[in-house]
Amino acid sequence: YNRASLAAKNGRPEQALRDVKRVLELDQDNARAYLLLAKLYLAAGAPDKALKAFGKAFREDPGNAAALKGMGDARFLKRDFRKAVEHYDRAVKEGNREAHTFANRCSAFIRLEEFEKAVRDCREALRIDSGLTDAYFNLGVAQGAQGKNREAVEAFTIAIGKSPDKPDYYYNRGTSFQKLGDLDKALADFEKVLQLDPRHADALNNRGTIFWTKSNVEGALNDFRQAAHIDKGHLPAHKNLGAACLAQGRPEEAIEALERAHDIDSKDPEILAALGDAWMQKEQWKKALSFFKKSLRRSPSREQTSSILTRQGLAWEKSGDLRRALKSYEKALDAAPEPGLRDALAGKIAELKSRR
């Protein structure tokens, strides 16, 4: 057993695994050996085997807080976050007050979107061990999710000071700056992310949105293209690329990007409506109308419904069917949430009635 423990500490997991299995051949009730075996499985990315071994350690030594924490870690790897929290709770009750126990439970709460509990656990982890860098990072994540972006920036900044080579630390601080409207600082953080990891698709996409806001059109398009190329399943990058191409009057590229976005999420009414807009730019009224119809079937919000119906009305108008155009505009008026939009639609309806 001692040789197995030493091998594990010195980064020789194969030797450790052989030795600890030999221990269990000689002593099938050795709780310490099961615990070491479970930790080796966990480090090797085998949560099912780890969970089984932690369970045996706990059965041989009821109340073993380390085994309970380990079961929580294994459940976390299996993405069973609710069960992970249950095991961490039991570990704490059994006296496990390690900083990592609270930090790991914090991570599970973040996945469960229980951010107040996550913040509480992060603070407890940092009270026990103020040098726990990941706890500062998770604290920032939880605070950002609560809309407390200034506090999140402070937490991310501490994490960066302790580990200045972590791209995700800069990325998350950048998103907090972006939400606060401090685009220059956000841009600087996204630039740093891309220095550390040039293939960070999220950073490319977010930098693209800032470039677009700053009227750097080509810079935005290049970033959206790169993000979509690096991560074929990056929905925001494909949507942003499609929207940017539409705004620049490039319907062919817009359609290509939006079709990929539609492959990722076929139920998003905004994507379907944007495809309708792209076909409108190509003066393909029938195709445009088919996408507007599909979009309206996807239960968009009231504001989206009014916008889509307005565009549908324009497509009918362009195709020469004034009766259906009028019907769409009237429905858009009923759904319009803002007085200014209602006035504009009322004027359009009056104009169309006059033309008829």
Side-chain angles (χ1 to χ4, degrees):
Y1 175 83
N2 290 342
R3 189 171 70 178
S5 298
L6 188 61
K9 289 177 183 177
N10 292 334
R12 301 197 308 274
E14 297 84 0
Q15 178 67 49
L17 198 58
R18 284 195 298 271
D19 281 348
V20 77
K21 284 182 177 179
R22 179 59 178 156
V23 172
L24 290 168
E25 287 174 5
L26 298 170
D27 180 4
Q28 296 181 5
D29 300 328
N30 193 315
R32 286 196 310 162
Y34 280 121
L35 196 60
L36 178 56
L37 177 65
K39 290 178 179 178
L40 289 167
Y41 281 141
L42 199 63
D48 290 318
K49 290 182 177 180
L51 196 59
K52 186 176 179 181
F54 280 127
K56 288 182 178 179
F58 187 75
R59 281 194 294 273
E60 295 300 330
D61 182 12
N64 189 316
L68 288 167
K69 176 191 175 293
M71 284 190 270
D73 294 341
R75 288 290 185 185
F76 190 97
L77 277 183
K78 286 170 64 67
R79 304 189 66 79
D80 188 350
F81 303 119
R82 183 60 63 193
K83 281 285 185 183
V85 166
E86 290 175 9
H87 286 304
Y88 293 138
D89 287 346
R90 291 175 64 193
V92 171
K93 286 178 183 177
E94 291 292 342
N96 187 320
R97 304 289 300 179
E98 295 176 5
H100 283 286
T101 304
F102 291 99
N104 291 1
R105 189 170 66 177
C106 162
S107 295
F109 278 135
I110 288 172
R111 275 30 173 225
L112 293 169
E113 299 185 1
E114 296 180 17
F115 301 114
E116 187 174 342
K117 292 178 181 179
V119 168
R120 180 198 65 200
D121 270 359
C122 278
R123 294 196 186 283
E124 181 62 16
L126 291 167
R127 187 190 67 77
I128 297 166
D129 182 358
S130 61
L132 202 59
T133 307
D134 282 348
Y136 284 110
F137 173 72
N138 283 333
L139 177 61
V141 171
Q143 290 172 326
Q146 292 178 306
K148 299 176 181 178
N149 291 297
R150 293 194 186 282
E151 292 92 332
V153 164
E154 291 176 8
F156 291 135
T157 300
I158 295 171
I160 288 168
K162 293 179 178 294
S163 293
D165 59 345
K166 296 286 187 73
D168 283 344
Y169 290 7
Y170 293 97
Y171 172 75
N172 280 272
R173 188 175 70 175
T175 58
S176 293
F177 278 133
Q178 195 170 13
K179 289 174 184 175
L180 289 168
D182 196 336
L183 299 187
D184 290 333
K185 288 182 179 178
L187 188 59
D189 272 347
F190 296 141
E191 296 281 5
K192 182 63 177 179
V193 174
L194 294 167
Q195 287 176 20
L196 295 168
D197 179 7
R199 293 179 60 80
H200 198 294
D202 288 334
L204 282 164
N205 179 66
N206 283 25
R207 187 176 70 174
T209 62
I210 294 176
F211 281 157
W212 184 263
T213 302
K214 290 177 172 289
S215 300
N216 182 352
V217 174
E218 287 306 316
L221 286 168
N222 286 335
D223 275 357
F224 295 146
R225 288 181 187 123
Q226 283 189 64
H229 176 72
I230 289 167
D231 183 356
K232 300 294 191 294
H234 201 294
L235 181 60
H238 291 296
K239 287 179 69 174
N240 286 336
L241 178 58
C245 289
L246 271 177
Q248 289 299 300
R250 304 179 187 184
E252 290 83 1
E253 188 176 358
I255 288 168
E256 184 180 354
L258 292 167
E259 283 180 344
R260 287 176 179 168
H262 183 254
D263 288 340
I264 299 166
D265 184 357
S266 61
K267 297 181 180 180
D268 188 331
E270 289 184 0
I271 297 171
L272 291 163
L275 279 164
D277 293 335
W279 287 108
M280 284 277 286
Q281 284 192 6
K282 290 175 69 66
E283 299 185 0
Q284 298 288 321
W285 316 124
K286 279 190 175 181
K287 285 189 176 181
L289 285 163
S290 72
F291 279 107
F292 292 139
K293 186 176 181 180
K294 289 176 185 176
S295 179
L296 290 167
R297 288 175 179 168
R298 298 301 182 188
S299 302
S301 66
R302 183 180 176 185
E303 185 176 353
Q304 288 174 327
T305 298
S306 179
S307 173
I308 296 164
L309 284 166
T310 301
R311 287 131 81 186
Q312 184 187 60
L314 181 59
W316 282 123
E317 188 178 350
K318 292 287 186 179
S319 71
D321 193 331
L322 299 187
R323 181 184 65 81
R324 286 180 173 171
L326 184 59
K327 188 176 179 181
S328 291
Y329 287 138
E330 287 172 341
K331 287 182 178 179
L333 177 61
D334 291 339
E338 297 176 7
L341 183 58
R342 293 178 63 83
D343 291 342
L345 283 166
K348 184 68 177 176
I349 289 167
E351 176 201 336
L352 208 59
K353 283 182 177 179
S354 175
R355 285 171 59 191
R356 288 189 71 197

